[in-house]
Amino acid sequence: DTGVSQDPRHKITKRGQNVTFRCDPISEHNRLYWYRQTLGQGPEFLTYFQNEAQLEKSRLLSDRFSAERPKGSFSTLEIQRTEQGDSAMYLCASSLGGYTFGSGTRLTVV
Amino acid sequence: DAKTTQPNSMESNEEEPVHLPCNHSTISGTDYIHWYRQLPSQGPEYVIHGLTSNVNNRMASLAIAEDRKSSTLILHRATLRDAAVYYCILRDVPGAGSYQLTFGKGTKLSVIP
């Protein structure tokens, strides 16, 4: 069990570019979550998968955001036409019962 | 999820016990009390959870008030590695609703050597 892996750890991108983050959950965990965290705040829920089905989406997840979990294993989170307000830590977590979080991808939009 | 209230920050001396309070006056009968902590540059990690009775594990103890309107996370001997933001979260029984965790701002614990 190597925990939840996220890639990349850091991403700097220019405004307007598209970015994609990857999350590899713990292999036997059927639930996968994406959260966003800005400085000084707690993580905010974005979306949740059970196996490959996306079952919940926060209103924070605008049309520019899309998440997939094609085979019920790894997941990707894509942000199109990035804006400076998208700068944040993007956290992935997986669970069977209790949550295990990854270390996050820190996005900076310049 | 019901709301929790925590102090913004606390300080502790190293090797002394720390009591981190959480108020949750609107807790429902099926809400579990969860604690997570987040070390600098890391994702949150699970600490402990309970429903009604006090709970102990290798990381901490959780003391739950009899009326369940408040709880206290107890670190028995604070170390420098315990410096983190501690989140108290209420979550309904699995399958009763959303599986998401609703984080507040938490309590930032500083440990003084």
Side-chain angles (χ1 to χ4, degrees):
Chain A
D1 177 0
T2 56
V4 176
S5 298
Q6 292 190 245
D7 184 66
R9 288 297 309 273
H10 302 274
K11 178 72 177 177
I12 301 174
T13 192
K14 291 184 178 178
R15 190 175 51 188
Q17 297 293 304
N18 299 344
V19 293
T20 300
F21 310 140
R22 177 180 169 120
C23 172
D24 286 272
I26 293 173
S27 56
E28 60 267 27
H29 286 184
N30 60 348
R31 298 189 196 103
L32 185 146
Y33 311 79
W34 285 97
Y35 284 76
R36 181 174 71 185
Q37 185 173 26
T38 53
L39 203 61
Q41 304 295 316
E44 296 172 293
F45 171 77
L46 291 178
T47 190
Y48 149 61
F49 290 85
Q50 180 148 328
N51 300 313
E52 66 274 12
Q54 189 173 17
L55 297 185
E56 265 191 87
K57 290 168 66 171
S58 162
R59 65 180 186 277
L60 293 176
L61 211 67
S62 77
D63 291 344
R64 296 185 297 105
F65 287 68
S66 63
E68 293 183 343
R69 194 182 183 197
K71 297 182 181 178
S73 56
F74 74 91
S75 176
T76 57
L77 177 68
E78 181 183 17
I79 309 174
Q80 295 184 326
R81 305 181 303 283
T82 52
E83 301 173 356
Q84 287 189 320
D86 298 330
S87 295
M89 175 77 85
Y90 290 84
L91 292 160
C92 176
S94 67
S95 76
L96 198 56
Y99 267 61
T100 302
F101 281 84
S103 295
T105 294
R106 180 166 296 284
L107 173 67
T108 303
V109 182
V110 297
Chain B
D1 292 324
K3 187 177 171 64
T4 62
T5 304
Q6 299 177 252
N8 290 334
S9 62
M10 290 184 66
E11 272 188 358
S12 172
N13 293 319
E14 197 176 8
E15 298 192 5
E16 292 193 355
V18 184
H19 291 231
L20 296 163
C22 181
N23 288 323
H24 28 78
S25 58
T26 59
I27 190 170
S28 75
T30 54
D31 280 332
Y32 281 76
I33 301 158
H34 291 251
W35 285 82
Y36 281 75
R37 73 179 185 180
Q38 188 171 20
L39 280 65
S41 301
Q42 298 291 321
E45 67 172 340
Y46 168 80
V47 178
I48 200 165
H49 77 283
L51 184 62
T52 55
S53 303
N54 294 344
V55 184
N56 300 297
N57 66 20
R58 63 175 180 80
M59 289 180 73
S61 295
L62 176 59
I64 301 172
E66 199 170 328
D67 63 6
R68 299 208 328 123
K69 293 185 186 297
S70 65
S71 61
T72 303
L73 179 71
I74 302 164
L75 307 179
H76 295 285
R77 286 182 70 217
T79 69
L80 296 179
R81 286 177 295 178
D82 292 321
V85 179
Y86 287 79
Y87 298 99
C88 169
I89 299 167
L90 301 183
R91 191 174 172 208
D92 209 337
V93 294
S98 172
Y99 285 96
Q100 64 173 280
L101 295 175
T102 302
F103 290 83
K105 291 188 178 183
T107 297
K108 183 175 182 179
L109 175 66
S110 301
V111 180
I112 302 165

